[in-house]
Amino acid sequence: MKRKKAVIALGGNAILTDDASAIGQQRALASSAEYLADLIEEGYELVITHGNGPQVGNLLLQQMAANSENNPAMPLDTCGAMTEGAIGYWLQNALDNALDRRRIDKKVAALVTQVEVSAKDPAFTKPSKPIGPFLTHAEAIKEAKRSKSVIFKEDAGRGWRKVVPSPLPISIRESPIIEELLEHGVVTIAAGGGGVPVVRNNENELQGIEAVIDKDFASQTLADLIDADLLIILTGVDYVYINYNKPNQLQLKDVTTTQLMAYIDQGQFAAGSMLPKVSSAILFAENNPRRKAVITSLNNLSAAIHNGDGTWISKG
């Protein structure tokens, strides 16, 4: 029987809780790893992606606080690679332990991933990707005055956050390596935080660029490149909703790409939170009618896989 190949995108709540320390984040990932191990035990071949918005934002603050002529702050693409490596290591360690406890003979590998974008992407003139901690309006104004180049925007009613360019992924440099790892039964962690954004320079060489790629779009691109059967996008709610947090709120269960595009036109999904998840799911389902995407929460993952809970998206 053909094993199902799935790309599963972990939301930030699977990594970062109220404790931003390394130990706190490792503890959160140890819990998340158990849900992933359930799928692996059932025979799914997994590629796991994850966000890094809070982590890369916090690292940038640490870099700027220690910035000096002798110890210059690292640029954003390098900070993205650093957090991708750190979170990848934590998750790899947590999964190794979870699989060992279950006596499942599976190897896990974390891969720092270069994601190619266009230097002409309009996102570079319109920063929109929120990173770092949530601030009050007053705190955001204070921070913006300290650094004239920093832009803050309100993020889905949860507070104000720094925003940076978020270009769309064109291709993923390491996708053939990821396919090869899957063929050898290796659980692969890749495209963490959307991957490290790189562009082609005038000599057609790859070089890093300051941006943060949305991890859901990167996950969709990777799922397409490796021909995954299923794209699982995990977030903080069990379902996608229309009229969210209103008296007429309605959860979406089985929904077509056409229906979702109509809801997007109505402005149903917040740009900083649910919109990229829904848009990524639409792209994945549209590119191949045999495939589906599901958006749900980590806690609801088992019910989604076995009982059809969550929001399932198919071409139509």
Side-chain angles (χ1 to χ4, degrees):
M1 185 177 70
K2 180 180 180 291
R3 287 191 160 193
K4 281 197 172 181
K5 189 190 303 182
V7 172
I8 183 164
L10 289 180
N13 61 322
I15 306 167
L16 186 63
T17 56
D18 293 333
D19 185 353
S21 69
I23 291 175
Q25 293 180 78
Q26 286 172 296
R27 189 179 298 121
L29 281 167
S31 175
S32 301
E34 295 297 333
Y35 293 93
L36 302 175
D38 287 343
L39 288 187
I40 295 166
E41 193 166 20
E42 292 181 24
Y44 280 85
E45 299 290 350
L46 289 189
V47 176
I48 305 160
T49 68
H50 59 78
N52 73 340
Q55 292 83 1
V56 75
N58 289 341
L59 179 58
L60 281 170
L61 292 175
Q62 294 166 3
Q63 290 282 316
M64 293 308 299
N67 185 38
S68 68
E69 186 175 345
N70 293 327
N71 186 29
M74 293 293 105
L76 180 55
D77 60 310
T78 300
C79 288
M82 292 163 70
T83 54
E84 183 182 7
I87 297 168
Y89 150 62
W90 291 336
L91 182 53
Q92 181 179 357
N93 180 263
L95 270 173
D96 277 337
N97 289 331
L99 295 174
D100 284 349
R101 283 192 295 271
R102 300 176 188 222
R103 302 183 185 280
I104 298 173
D105 184 19
K106 274 278 191 181
K107 303 301 181 187
V108 184
L111 190 65
V112 174
T113 313
Q114 299 175 94
V115 178
E116 189 173 349
V117 301
S118 169
K120 297 179 180 178
D121 193 302
F124 287 108
T125 62
K126 296 178 181 178
S128 63
K129 178 66 177 175
I131 64 171
F134 289 95
L135 304 176
T136 65
H137 193 196
E139 289 170 334
I141 292 173
K142 183 179 178 181
E143 288 295 324
K145 286 180 178 177
R146 286 203 317 180
S147 178
K148 301 296 184 182
S149 62
V150 175
I151 299 172
F152 289 87
K153 289 185 180 179
E154 198 274 333
D155 183 5
R158 297 174 291 179
W160 291 72
R161 296 174 78 187
K162 177 181 177 179
V163 290
V164 299
S166 183
L168 289 173
I170 296 172
S171 187
I172 295 177
R173 180 74 174 177
E174 290 78 18
S175 62
I177 300 170
I178 294 165
E179 277 198 285
E180 191 171 340
L181 287 169
L182 282 178
E183 287 171 7
H184 286 84
V186 178
V187 179
T188 307
I189 303 161
V196 182
V198 294
V199 295
R200 294 280 177 183
N201 62 19
N202 293 333
E203 287 73 43
N204 201 35
E205 296 175 334
L206 291 173
Q207 65 180 44
I209 192 165
E210 291 219 2
V212 172
I213 300 166
D214 185 274
K215 74 102 170 44
D216 296 312
F217 283 117
S219 302
Q220 172 264 318
T221 301
L222 179 56
D224 279 336
L225 287 170
I226 67 170
D227 194 26
D229 302 291
L230 180 63
L231 174 63
I232 305 168
I233 300 177
L234 299 180
T235 185
V237 290
D238 293 347
Y239 292 85
V240 177
Y241 293 87
I242 57 172
N243 305 317
Y244 186 60
N245 275 343
K246 296 178 180 178
N248 59 339
Q249 171 178 292
L250 178 68
Q251 65 180 209
L252 302 179
K253 295 183 179 180
D254 291 304
V255 62
T256 66
T257 53
T258 301
Q259 289 171 315
L260 282 179
M261 286 187 278
Y263 291 137
I264 289 174
D265 290 340
Q266 296 170 17
Q268 287 285 353
F269 311 119
S273 56
M274 191 56 75
L275 181 58
K277 302 180 193 312
V278 169
S279 299
S280 301
I282 289 171
L283 284 171
F284 180 73
E286 282 280 313
N287 285 342
N288 192 322
R290 73 171 172 79
R291 305 184 308 192
K292 287 189 176 184
V294 59
I295 302 174
T296 191
S297 68
L298 183 66
N299 292 338
N300 200 49
L301 178 58
S302 178
I305 296 299
H306 297 112
N307 304 326
D309 289 9
T311 300
W312 285 83
I313 299 100
S314 56
K315 181 178 172 65

